[in-house]
Amino acid sequence: MSDLSAPGFPEEEVRQRARSGAAAAFPPPGEYGRVLFGAERDDGRRDPRDPLDALRLVPPVFMPQRLAKLIDLGREPDYRDVELVTPVGGFTSALPVYVSALGSTRAAGGDLGLALSRQAGALGLPMVIGENVVPVNGYGRLGEAADRALLGRLRAYAGELPDGLGGVAVQQSTEDADAEVWNLVYSDPAALPLLESGRLAFELKVGQGAKPGLGGMTVLDAGAAERLGDRYGLDRVFGDGRVLRSSTPGTFTAEILRQQVRLMRNNFPRARVWVKLHPGRDVAEAARVAAGAGADAVTVDGAEGGTGWAPGVFPAQVGLPLAECLRRLAVAGPPPCLLVSGRIWEGGRAVRSLALGARAVGLGRAALLATAEDPEAGLVRFADCLALELRLLISALGKYTPAALDGDDVWSAEFPGMPAAG
């Protein structure tokens, strides 16, 4: 190596690309399945450069809703009087929270995926089973490994679910459609209790926050690549036997999306219909089309969202931040049930999202990490902490349900177009 240098320029990154070639566009393949990727911050906490984190919650002095609660209760209300049960996409959730789509990536598979499903069910939180589980790991009826198959997650969740709460949304992408995933679930006796109780949804995946405009990606060993080569695009970029597996992103126009939603409602009349959008520049128009066609929920991943494998340039440089998605949706008029995700892990960011039009917020990385910390009760304890923060913050704003939050509850001196107090 020469002694040539370039102070102030990303020299090491350039040298890494010169050493590794196309593989350098991705994180090190050895980190696949062990590291959850997304929008990295220096300390993972509030970042004043993030428009959503820069917003402040601003309680008023005069609180007519607190007075109404006082009259209703016959005593002074406090944070324990905040009711967090929330309608979410045709389901009833114990909190204004859902578990974001976790698909066939290694991090969400095996015992960890089952443990997360059990805890989400016990909490009464809606859970999305992400794309490519069936094409990659099987459905679970034909002797496939139960810990990785879709049926295993479905049973683990339903086995803990309290009456009247929660629900499962099963996502489908292009390859899932080829495998007829929704047909398998809709006709499965194991899913019948969810279907009969109105707690089964199908989610049409239009895009995802981690890599807008691309399909799902994972890393496979040579044996798995050989087995799946006829279903997915394979690229041997890593040079060590491991292979990049890519799904097709699908093609959508407004009319295609409209017809897809109508087809779902016609073919699966007993299931709820969800649509998941990536943080595209026309996200407000896409949400309007989906809701107008009859979707029960529209999910929007901000650019900060995602737990899966993505080219390094995408989380850092592609897609609208969640704050801008919320702003555009607010200007256009958000869909009746807007679900959002993007680095949600504590009550402040969640409450700001709810105040700006979201019905509920998604936990992805946070849910996986909490479950990994304690597969028996880590997510349950995490949700207990989040619920307390939500109650404290909503009560401080003089309100007692998440639905009562609105744009007057947030303020920013820096981000134009956001609602401002006073």
Side-chain angles (χ1 to χ4, degrees):
M1 183 177 70
S2 77
D3 58 0
L4 186 68
S5 65
F9 192 75
E11 179 180 343
E12 179 52 36
E13 287 83 350
V14 172
R15 292 184 180 276
Q16 176 62 30
R17 291 179 175 219
R19 291 192 296 268
S20 304
F26 294 86
E31 294 181 351
Y32 175 71
R34 299 188 301 107
V35 178
L36 304 179
F37 297 95
E40 287 80 10
R41 304 297 181 203
D42 291 341
D43 62 0
R45 300 183 70 84
R46 292 192 68 201
D47 184 345
R49 297 167 297 177
D50 183 317
L52 189 56
D53 280 352
L55 294 172
R56 293 188 66 85
L57 293 167
V58 283
V61 174
F62 300 127
M63 297 183 176
Q65 292 188 41
R66 181 169 291 179
L67 175 62
K69 194 71 172 177
L70 182 154
I71 294 170
D72 180 52
L73 295 173
R75 59 169 173 78
E76 282 285 351
D78 65 19
Y79 68 88
R80 291 167 294 185
D81 296 308
V82 174
E83 178 54 69
L84 295 178
V85 172
T86 301
V88 175
F91 305 151
T92 300
S93 179
L95 304 174
V97 172
Y98 65 98
V99 176
S100 298
L102 302 172
S104 64
T105 57
R106 189 179 302 156
D111 292 340
L112 183 59
L114 293 182
L116 189 155
S117 299
R118 285 192 292 268
Q119 292 187 54
L123 286 163
L125 302 181
M127 181 183 75
V128 184
I129 299 177
E131 63 175 348
N132 292 318
V133 176
V134 172
V136 174
N137 298 319
Y139 184 74
R141 289 182 186 168
L142 303 176
E144 301 96 339
D147 59 343
R148 302 189 67 84
L150 189 148
L151 188 55
R153 293 194 205 180
L154 197 67
R155 286 174 170 164
Y157 179 88
E160 302 292 334
L161 197 60
D163 290 341
L165 291 176
V168 172
V170 179
Q171 196 177 88
Q172 184 166 282
S173 63
T174 304
E175 288 78 14
D176 290 307
D178 292 340
E180 299 189 344
V181 170
W182 289 341
N183 285 324
L184 287 171
V185 175
Y186 201 72
S187 62
D188 190 345
L192 190 59
L194 292 172
L195 195 61
E196 291 181 335
S197 61
R199 292 184 286 178
L200 180 67
F202 292 146
E203 182 175 76
L204 175 66
K205 182 192 171 187
V206 178
Q208 59 188 314
K211 34 192 176 291
L214 296 181
M217 292 179 170
T218 63
V219 177
L220 303 176
D221 59 31
E226 181 70 23
R227 179 171 56 87
L228 298 173
D230 61 338
R231 278 170 272 180
Y232 294 94
L234 303 179
D235 200 340
R236 302 183 184 278
V237 299
F238 302 115
D240 61 357
R242 283 177 283 204
V243 176
L244 175 68
R245 187 227 76 193
S246 301
S247 304
T248 54
T251 301
F252 290 92
T253 64
E255 186 57 26
I256 289 173
L257 177 56
R258 190 177 293 114
Q259 293 301 331
Q260 286 270 39
V261 172
R262 290 172 177 167
L263 190 67
M264 292 166 69
R265 297 190 68 83
N266 180 70
N267 290 356
F268 309 106
R270 301 170 69 190
R272 305 293 186 177
V273 174
W274 291 20
V275 174
K276 181 174 182 176
L277 305 175
H278 66 248
R281 62 177 187 253
D282 55 353
V283 65
E285 171 66 8
R288 184 192 65 79
V289 170
D296 295 289
V298 177
T299 301
V300 174
D301 272 359
E304 306 90 341
T307 60
W309 189 259
V313 69
F314 273 74
Q317 300 186 41
V318 181
L320 295 175
L322 178 55
E324 178 62 14
C325 291
L326 286 165
R327 189 191 72 80
R328 295 188 184 202
L329 287 158
V331 169
C337 184
L338 172 65
L339 313 181
V340 302
S341 64
R343 209 161 56 85
I344 305 290
W345 68 276
E346 48 79 42
R349 191 171 174 88
V351 169
R352 290 191 291 275
S353 298
L354 297 171
L356 294 171
R359 176 74 61 82
V361 296
L363 302 177
R365 289 183 292 265
L368 278 169
L369 288 169
T371 305
E373 179 64 21
D374 181 353
E376 295 301 319
L379 181 58
V380 171
R381 286 193 290 267
F382 176 90
D384 285 345
C385 182
L386 180 60
L388 176 61
E389 288 180 322
L390 293 174
R391 288 191 169 96
L392 290 168
L393 291 165
I394 294 171
S395 172
L397 292 163
K399 297 176 178 179
Y400 294 90
T401 65
L405 298 167
D406 59 35
D408 289 336
D409 295 319
V410 295
W411 172 85
S412 172
E414 303 297 331
F415 194 62
M418 278 294 185

